[in-house]
């Protein structure tokens, strides 16, 4: 797997001249042929194009894993951080410059395993982020070990006799942890995924899209063929995403029928950024504030506290 | 007796946690500082909210005070335990103020004045006000008028309402008058200094230094003894326009700080050794993606949970080695509360210039310790230099280095001669790049799994490393304090500056031993050549708060200089001047080359 450098397509265009190609990154993905992550990348690029996002006003933040290589493949600002840390870094990015669209991408191990603590707390804070998890129920980059979403009994390189642990289910977990937009998509249904992404990016607050994105190399159980007959689109079944208990019930559904689509959305909660007065002083993002430091009147008041 | 030329005294208050010792100390410190006296206060406490033994020492003088000193002049035991542990340490001339109904004194040295007070009567049965009555008596003995006590008591109890203020003033007066009638005041009067001074803790100074430097993002997870920085920041966040966050853990703290810094904010965090260990991997990320951040490690005694409320300098090698791999970072060890305030803006400028993490080694002694401060020395008008930063509307000095919409023209990690590459932040048109923790090319493209790229890897390692070559010229070399020719040179680093300084003065004044001092502030970069030149052919003793001599080893690793002697203390309590004086005498007499002073409080 080697990265081939392609002629970069750049935003030489002025605003309004965006094309689909605008969002293509400098290099071609080095994922295995057939990897579900290609579909996620394409869906994200389409969603950004259809929403008319300016590439320099988007920051895509990932952790580490096959899936986390994504920021290098899109033409936006990107951060390819540490294993499990994308949400913490992204929260810092969003608070530093709340005018950016911040999109996190990563894998199931990255987000629900090593990054589990940040996952829980970023959701309860309702930070205005879009979090796309390429959930292949396996550790791809490290060549096929068990992940937090590997189903019980699954044989992997680290569970040669079958995993004896129960997996976590990110959909109900996200709902109860306070995420305000909780959806699932499937790499085999790209058009539907684009709609999930667009909804997530436009949503104000923390949006999770957990994507079944098959690892064709290391997960021989949860393949395209396995998912194809099982996935059922919630939007085609009249699911009401404002019904909390239904959302949780459908989220747990697994087996012959596995729902994808928007499980849960609420729009009545303020985001973290909306609640922080220091972002709303009329001076723009914290990162671009001029005149750093303390004016002399204020300095005097601070010193007076010590006297 | 005539008034001596220099007045230098200490008040020691001890009891259980929860007996109001800290607030009593605050009142005294403010009274002394408002008179213009210099002071230093150190609270030896335990990590429990109530119960346990706490002992606060406030030392004041009309001359600069750099540490808690060697002796107690006014001893206020609030329980029997404190009386039993400390009375034997009092020397002739000192006095002990205590509740005659609750506490019995043991055997005191000759010349120690016992001052029993009928506290129940004086406080009208208000147990919480015993400290206040003892304060009144203390001021009487020190020859201080009662007005300052009244105004500071008013300030302290204002929030609790007029009735509480009035009652406490009455009780303070009762104590003051009782002492006038029953005890003998000191033969000198507490003088007035030149002008009123302020009172500051090291954690406050650190936070204020951050504010002065233009910090816009501060994150933390509470951990003693660093929490004071978070508390100051949280209290002032809205007024100063600083985003302050308490995060789920220190891993999250450092990653969040890096995210905010990456957008262009000056971002900072403080923690102690345990939290710092969790931050370690992310500090390497700041090095790899060349994002400037500042992190303060307020050291406490380790390892693991260690002794949360005790001081040590045991994190030196942890901080030196923070983050896997080999990459540049800056490490500085301030020597006092004022130095903490000044160091933060200095470090931010260097971090912005060299686009790397900046780490501060503080410790419980100076960060929770209190000192007087001359308000004129807290200069918030500091230089702010953001280095080669590209913001959307031009960098601070003018236009963008490479403006326009052509992203191809911009190489975030450009291999320049200095190793420093102009840094654009997200939101700037025409500068799109991905910052990756994998090894990357000049444009940010990952090269970590390219078979063909040992040459690029080498280039990028050298580019990052090269940034530090010039940094040594930006920092002041350490200076020898005292006469060039001395019988012994005491080398310390960071917070021990004040106590070593006093030991040097005591050696000269009381023992006739000429000593000098080399205090090291900058750890990385290290002025190895200058330090070698200074120490060459000197008789050197390294003074540090570790068991294994971490600093002595570091000194040897950077200079090849092997110190002749060592004074080490790792019992959790800071050095007192006489510990160092006695150890130097022993070592000059050839008795030992490694001294471990014993802390005298009874076990
Ligand atoms: C601190 C740390 N521990 C372990 C690793 C090794 N590692 C890299 S990716 C990965 C798991 C990847 O799985 P997932 O997040 O599901 O991504 P995928 O490759 O499946 O897309 C691991 C364990 C690392 N990079 N950093
Ligand atoms: S190993 Fe699996 S997840 Fe990784 S690129 Fe290949 S198919 Fe995709
Ligand atoms: Mg995976």
């Amino acid at each position: 797997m080697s990265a081939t450098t392609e002629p970069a397509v750049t935003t030489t265009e002025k605003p309004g001249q965006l094309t689909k190609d605008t969002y293509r990154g400098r290099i071609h993905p080095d994922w295995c042929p057939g990897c579900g992550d290609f579909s996620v990348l394409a869906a994200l690029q389409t969603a950004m194009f259809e929403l008319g996002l300016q590439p320099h006003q988007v920051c895509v933040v990932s952790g580490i894993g096959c899936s986390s290589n994504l920021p290098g493949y899109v033409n936006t600002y990107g951060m390819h951080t540490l294993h499990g840390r994308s949400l913490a870094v992204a929260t810092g990015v969003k608070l530093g410059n709340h005018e950016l669209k911040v999109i996190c991408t990563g894998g199931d191990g990255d987000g629900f395993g090593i990054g589990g603590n940040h996952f829980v707390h970023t959701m309860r804070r309702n930070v205005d982020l879009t979090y796309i998890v390429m959930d292949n129920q396996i550790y791809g980059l490290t060549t096929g070990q068990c992940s937090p979403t590997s189903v019980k009994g699954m044989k992997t390189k680290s569970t040669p006799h079958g995993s004896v642990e129960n997996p976590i289910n990110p959909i109900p977990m996200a709902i109860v942890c306070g995420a305000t937009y909780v959806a699932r998509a499937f790499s085999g249904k790209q058009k539907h995924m684009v709609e999930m992404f667009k909804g997530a990016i436009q949503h104000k607050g923390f949006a999770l899209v957990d994507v079944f994105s098959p690892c064709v190399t290391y997960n021989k159980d949860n393949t395209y063929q396995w998912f194809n007959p099982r996935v059922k689109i919630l939007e085609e079944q009249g699911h009401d995403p404002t019904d909390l208990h239904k959302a949780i019930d459908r989220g747990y559904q697994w087996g012959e029928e596995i729902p994808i689509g928007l499980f849960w959305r609420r729009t009545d909660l303020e985001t973290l950024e909306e609640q922080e007065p220091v972002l709303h002083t009329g001076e723009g993002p914290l990162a671009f504030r001029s005149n750093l430091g303390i004016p002399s009147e204020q300095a005097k008041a601070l010193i007076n506290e010590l006297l | 007796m005539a008034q001596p030329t220099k007045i230098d005294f200490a008040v020691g208050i001890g009891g259980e946690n929860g007996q109001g010792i800290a607030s009593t100390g605050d009142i005294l410190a403010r009274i002394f500082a408002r008179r213009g006296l210099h002071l230093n206060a150190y609270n030896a406490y335990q990590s429990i909210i109530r119960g346990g033994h706490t002992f606060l020492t406030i030392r004041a003088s009309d001359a600069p005070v750099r540490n808690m000193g060697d002796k107690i002049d006014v001893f206020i035991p609030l329980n029997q335990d404190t009386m039993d542990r400390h009375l034997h340490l009092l020397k002739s001339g000192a006095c002990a103020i205590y509740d005659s109904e609750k506490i019995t004194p043991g055997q005191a040295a000759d010349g120690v004045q016992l001052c029993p007070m009928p506290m129940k009567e004086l406080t009208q049965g208000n147990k919480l006000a015993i400290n206040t009555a003892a304060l009144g008596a203390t001021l009487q003995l020190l020859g201080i008028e009662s007005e300052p006590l009244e105004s500071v008591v008013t300030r302290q109890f204002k929030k609790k309402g007029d009735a509480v203020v009035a009652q406490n003033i009455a009780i303070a007066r009762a104590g003051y008058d009782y002492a006038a009638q029953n005890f003998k005041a000191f033969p000198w009067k507490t003088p007035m200094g030149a002008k009123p001074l302020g009172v500051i803790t090291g954690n406050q100074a650190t936070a204020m230094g951050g504010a002065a430097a233009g910090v816009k993002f501060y994150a933390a997870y509470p951990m003693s003894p660093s929490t004071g920085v978070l508390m100051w920041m949280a209290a002032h966040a809205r007024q100063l326009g600083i985003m302050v966050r308490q995060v789920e853990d220190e891993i999250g703290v450092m990653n969040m700080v890096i995210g905010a810094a990456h957008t262009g904010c000056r971002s900072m965090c403080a923690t102690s050794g345990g939290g710092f260990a969790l931050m370690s991997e992310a500090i390497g990320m700041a090095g790899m993606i060349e994002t400037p951040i500042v992190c303060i490690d307020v050291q406490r005694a380790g390892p693991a949970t260690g002794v949360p409320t005790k001081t040590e300098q045991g994190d030196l090698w942890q901080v030196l080695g923070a983050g896997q791999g080999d990459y540049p970072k800056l490490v500085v060890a301030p020597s006092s509360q004022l130095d903490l305030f000044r160091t933060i803006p200095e470090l931010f400028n260097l971090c912005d210039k060299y686009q790397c993490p900046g780490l501060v080694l503080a410790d419980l002694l100076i960060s929770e310790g209190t000192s007087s401060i001359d308000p004129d020395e807290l200069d918030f008008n500091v230089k702010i230099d953001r280095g080669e930063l590209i913001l959307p509307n031009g960098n601070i000095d003018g236009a963008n280095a490479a403006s326009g919409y052509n992203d191809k023209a911009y190489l975030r990690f450009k291999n320049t001669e200095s190793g420093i590459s102009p840094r654009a932040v997200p939101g700037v048109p025409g500068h799109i790049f991905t910052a990756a923790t994998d090894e990357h090319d000049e444009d940010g493209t990952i090269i970590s799994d390219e078979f063909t790229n040992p040459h690029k890897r080498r280039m990028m390692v050298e580019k990052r490393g090269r940034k530090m070559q010039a940094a040594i010229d930006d920092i002041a070399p350490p200076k020898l304090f005292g006469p060039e020719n001395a019988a012994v040179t005491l080398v310390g680093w960071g917070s021990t500056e004040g106590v070593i300084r006093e030991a040097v003065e005591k050696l000269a004044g009381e023992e006739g031993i000429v000593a000098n001092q080399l205090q090291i502030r900058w750890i990385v970069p290290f002025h190895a050549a200058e330090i070698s030149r200074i120490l060459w052919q000197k008789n050197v003793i390294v003074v540090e708060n570790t068991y294994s001599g971490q600093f002595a080893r570091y000194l040897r690793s950077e200079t090849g200089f092997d110190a002749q002697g060592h004074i080490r203390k790792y019992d959790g309590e800071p050095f007192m001047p006489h510990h160092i004086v006695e150890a130097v005498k022993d070592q000059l007499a050839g008795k030992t080359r490694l001294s471990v002073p014993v802390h005298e409080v009874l076990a």
Side-chain angles (χ1 to χ4, degrees):
Chain A
M1 297 198 288
S2 96
T4 48
T5 306
E6 287 203 342
V9 182
T10 58
T11 49
T12 37
E13 303 87 350
K14 290 282 174 270
Q17 296 180 315
L18 303 170
T19 70
K20 249 179 155 170
D21 271 352
T22 306
Y23 301 92
R24 236 172 58 209
R26 286 181 211 233
I27 50 166
H28 187 72
D30 63 354
W31 291 314
C32 307
C35 175
D37 296 353
F38 282 104
S39 179
V40 177
L41 174 63
L44 178 60
Q45 289 164 331
T46 305
M48 288 196 291
F49 169 67
E50 290 183 5
L51 293 174
L53 302 185
Q54 285 293 325
H56 70 273
Q57 286 161 352
V58 179
C59 190
V60 179
V61 184
S62 74
I64 296 294
C66 294
S67 43
S68 289
N69 285 351
L70 189 141
Y73 310 144
V74 286
N75 183 46
T76 65
Y77 276 96
M79 293 183 81
H80 187 172
T81 72
L82 298 168
H83 192 34
R85 311 303 163 205
S86 66
L87 290 177
V89 175
T91 300
V93 170
K94 185 70 187 180
L95 296 175
N97 182 349
H98 62 286
E99 288 176 359
L100 292 172
K101 276 281 176 210
V102 183
I103 299 169
C104 290
T105 60
D108 41 315
D110 190 75
F112 310 141
I114 191 168
N117 201 19
H118 309 309
F119 181 53
V120 168
H121 290 278
T122 312
M123 291 193 287
R124 82 176 162 86
R125 294 185 185 116
N126 198 28
V127 186
D128 184 16
L129 301 174
T130 297
Y131 186 28
I132 297 169
V133 180
M134 284 156 263
D135 188 348
N136 52 16
Q137 300 165 264
I138 197 86
Y139 280 17
L141 191 69
T142 47
T143 71
Q145 298 80 16
C146 188
S147 107
T149 52
S150 298
V151 294
K152 191 167 180 177
M154 186 176 177
K155 289 188 176 173
T156 70
K157 285 188 186 168
S158 60
T159 55
H161 309 293
S163 166
V164 297
E165 296 180 11
N166 284 313
I168 58 164
N169 183 330
I171 300 294
M173 184 179 174
I175 295 170
V176 299
C177 285
T180 47
Y181 179 106
V182 180
R184 190 190 273 153
F186 170 45
S187 288
K189 298 243 183 281
Q190 206 184 103
K191 261 204 190 127
H192 175 256
M193 185 162 30
V194 170
E195 294 312 310
M196 293 299 103
F197 287 175
K198 280 164 67 179
I201 293 168
Q202 283 175 302
H203 176 74
K204 260 214 230 150
F206 187 92
L208 169 73
V209 186
D210 187 43
V211 185
F212 294 139
S213 177
C215 169
V216 296
T217 308
Y218 297 112
N219 187 339
K220 304 296 186 193
D221 295 358
N222 309 103
T223 60
Y224 278 105
Q225 293 80 346
W226 189 86
F227 279 114
N228 260 326
R230 288 177 168 83
V231 295
K232 295 283 171 325
I233 294 178
L234 287 170
E235 287 71 26
E236 292 170 0
Q237 300 179 331
H239 170 71
D240 173 10
T242 63
D243 184 330
L244 176 70
H245 295 281
K246 282 244 171 63
I248 293 174
D249 286 347
R250 300 297 320 258
Y252 271 117
Q253 207 177 334
W254 189 264
E256 290 315 302
E257 183 177 329
I258 303 175
I260 62 171
L262 179 60
F263 289 85
W264 171 242
R265 177 177 57 203
R266 62 188 292 181
T267 52
D268 57 327
L269 292 184
E270 282 186 302
T271 65
L272 179 70
E273 307 87 83
E274 283 170 334
Q275 296 175 78
E276 277 295 345
V278 296
L279 299 182
H280 308 292
T281 58
E283 301 161 278
L286 288 171
F288 303 153
R289 297 207 177 156
S290 46
N291 302 323
L292 291 187
I294 305 292
S296 64
E297 273 311 300
Q298 236 168 8
K300 239 190 225 153
L302 295 177
I303 292 169
N304 275 337
E305 292 175 18
L306 307 175
L307 296 175
Chain B
M1 186 175 151
Q3 182 86 349
T5 50
K6 179 181 146 190
I7 299 291
D8 184 339
F9 62 90
V11 180
I13 314 166
E16 284 175 26
N17 284 340
Q19 281 193 306
I21 289 166
S23 58
T24 311
D26 281 349
I27 294 178
L28 268 181
R30 283 204 191 262
I31 291 172
F32 296 153
R34 283 181 175 186
R35 289 181 87 76
L37 296 183
H38 303 270
L39 69 91
N40 184 290
Y42 173 74
N43 194 4
Y45 70 110
Q46 289 168 345
S47 173
I48 35 181
I49 303 304
R50 268 169 217 287
H53 184 72
T54 290
F55 197 83
L56 175 76
T57 307
I58 303 177
R59 179 184 178 197
S61 172
D62 44 0
V65 182
R66 298 191 180 90
N67 65 87
M68 66 178 180
D70 287 314
K71 63 173 174 60
I72 300 290
D73 298 279
V74 181
F75 173 47
I76 308 175
L78 295 174
N79 61 8
Q80 187 66 48
D81 180 52
T82 307
M83 177 66 100
D84 296 344
R85 286 176 199 267
H86 293 264
L87 183 67
H88 70 110
L89 296 173
L90 297 191
K91 305 234 162 69
S92 174
C95 55
I97 299 171
Y98 58 96
D99 185 345
S100 56
E101 290 136 22
K102 288 258 172 62
I103 298 170
T104 30
Q107 189 57 43
D110 282 350
V112 170
Q113 183 187 192
L114 295 177
C115 307
M117 295 176 70
M119 288 299 188
K120 199 166 176 188
E121 182 194 318
L122 292 170
T123 62
Q124 294 140 19
N126 180 353
K127 274 192 209 149
L128 292 173
I130 290 175
N131 306 5
T132 311
L135 272 181
T138 302
L139 293 200
Q140 177 66 252
L141 297 178
L142 291 172
I144 294 177
E145 323 72 55
S146 61
E147 288 75 31
L149 177 60
E150 288 175 17
S151 70
V152 176
V153 166
T154 306
R155 185 195 145 106
Q156 192 82 12
F157 293 102
K158 209 166 48 197
K159 276 201 198 117
K160 298 190 175 162
D162 290 347
V164 177
V165 169
Q167 198 199 19
N168 273 281
I169 289 179
I171 292 167
R173 264 227 91 87
Y176 192 81
D177 294 341
Y178 186 86
Q181 285 147 25
N182 296 283
F183 312 136
K184 213 169 97 224
F186 287 101
W188 38 264
K189 283 215 177 318
T190 303
M192 301 278 285
K195 62 173 170 182
L197 301 177
V199 179
I200 196 167
T201 68
N203 280 332
Q204 288 172 332
T206 302
M208 291 168 97
V215 164
K216 287 278 152 228
F217 189 88
Y218 182 84
Y221 185 84
M223 186 168 187
S224 295
S226 68
T227 313
V229 185
L230 170 62
M231 295 198 297
W232 193 95
M233 283 292 187
H236 295 85
R238 293 194 176 171
Q239 158 195 357
L240 301 178
I242 300 173
M243 173 65 71
V244 177
R245 303 249 49 94
Q246 179 177 327
V247 184
E248 54 272 16
D249 58 30
E250 287 89 347
I251 303 179
V253 168
M254 182 51 79
N255 281 280
M256 213 177 270
V257 160
I258 291 169
H262 190 75
T263 66
C265 294
R266 281 198 159 176
S267 307
M268 179 167 109
C269 56
T271 183
S272 190
F276 189 87
L278 294 182
M279 294 177 175
S280 194
E281 186 191 23
I283 293 169
M285 165 160 75
M288 190 55 149
I289 67 175
E290 304 194 47
T291 296
I293 57 96
V294 166
C295 173
I296 299 105
D297 175 5
V298 183
Q299 299 167 93
R300 71 190 208 190
T305 310
V307 198
T309 55
K310 299 292 165 190
T311 200
E312 207 162 279
Q313 295 182 305
D315 290 357
L316 174 62
W317 284 91
Q318 169 175 232
V319 166
L320 285 170
Q324 65 272 30
D326 189 27
Y327 66 95
K329 50 175 131 27
L330 299 159
V331 183
V332 60
S335 61
S336 66
Q337 285 81 5
L338 178 60
D339 196 26
L340 279 164
F341 175 79
R342 289 179 173 159
T343 296
I344 304 297
E346 180 190 6
L347 184 58
F348 263 108
N349 286 345
L350 293 174
C351 289
D352 267 342
K353 178 172 180 185
Y354 296 108
Q355 300 177 15
C356 69
L359 309 176
V360 180
L361 271 160
D363 57 27
L364 183 140
L365 176 62
I366 51 168
S367 290
E368 287 204 331
T370 300
S371 102
S372 52
I373 190 141
D374 179 346
D376 295 333
E377 292 201 282
L378 277 183
D379 185 2
F380 277 81
N381 189 15
V382 299
K383 180 178 132 195
I384 292 181
D385 181 355
R386 302 289 328 256
E388 297 195 41
L389 179 64
I390 304 169
L391 294 173
N393 305 315
N395 64 8
I396 284 170
D397 297 326
N400 287 339
S403 53
Y405 274 79
N406 183 5
D407 295 305
K408 249 198 287 193
Y410 178 62
L411 298 176
R412 164 64 186 95
F413 304 101
K414 194 173 160 77
N415 182 29
T416 59
E417 209 177 305
S418 64
I420 298 167
S421 326
R423 174 167 84 104
V425 299
V428 179
H431 291 70
I432 283 174
F433 69 97
T434 292
T437 62
D438 279 74
E439 186 60 283
H440 41 262
D441 208 341
E442 290 177 272
D443 65 359
T445 305
I446 290 179
I447 58 168
S448 52
D449 36 63
E450 277 185 60
F451 168 69
T452 50
N453 269 325
H455 309 291
K456 280 189 186 164
R457 162 67 178 171
R458 174 177 168 173
M459 174 183 88
M460 295 308 286
V461 170
E462 289 176 352
K463 168 208 136 40
R464 287 188 295 268
R466 202 155 61 233
K467 293 191 291 190
M468 279 301 120
Q469 286 173 2
I472 192 85
D473 299 328
D474 289 333
I475 60 165
K479 282 205 191 89
L480 194 69
F481 169 82
E484 171 66 33
N485 291 313
V488 63
T489 298
L490 300 179
V491 175
W493 68 282
S495 67
T496 54
E497 179 175 57
V499 70
I500 298 176
R501 177 72 44 93
E502 183 156 341
V504 165
E505 288 163 359
K506 277 198 152 180
L507 282 165
E510 297 168 16
E511 310 289 342
I513 295 172
V514 181
N516 53 25
Q517 174 187 13
L518 186 67
Q519 194 73 14
I520 311 289
R521 185 167 169 272
W522 275 99
I523 308 294
V524 181
F526 196 70
H527 268 287
E530 176 64 5
I531 291 167
S532 297
R533 190 194 63 74
I534 293 172
L535 297 184
W536 179 243
Q537 290 189 336
K538 286 199 170 60
N539 179 24
V540 171
I541 296 177
V542 175
V543 183
E544 59 182 307
N545 286 118
T546 66
Y547 169 80
S548 69
Q550 292 191 10
F551 187 79
R553 289 209 305 286
Y554 183 58
L555 179 67
R556 191 173 63 211
S557 76
E558 292 295 305
T559 62
F561 187 89
D562 210 354
Q564 287 86 345
H566 305 273
I567 304 175
R568 297 177 189 163
K569 198 163 182 291
Y570 40 85
D571 55 21
E573 296 300 335
F575 283 109
M576 295 162 99
H578 74 274
H579 293 143
I580 299 172
V581 168
E582 296 306 321
V584 167
K585 279 163 56 187
D586 284 352
Q587 298 201 14
L588 289 182
K591 287 189 198 161
T592 181
R593 293 174 61 177
L594 170 62
S595 308
V596 183
V598 175
H599 211 81
E600 291 87 350
V601 177
L602 282 189

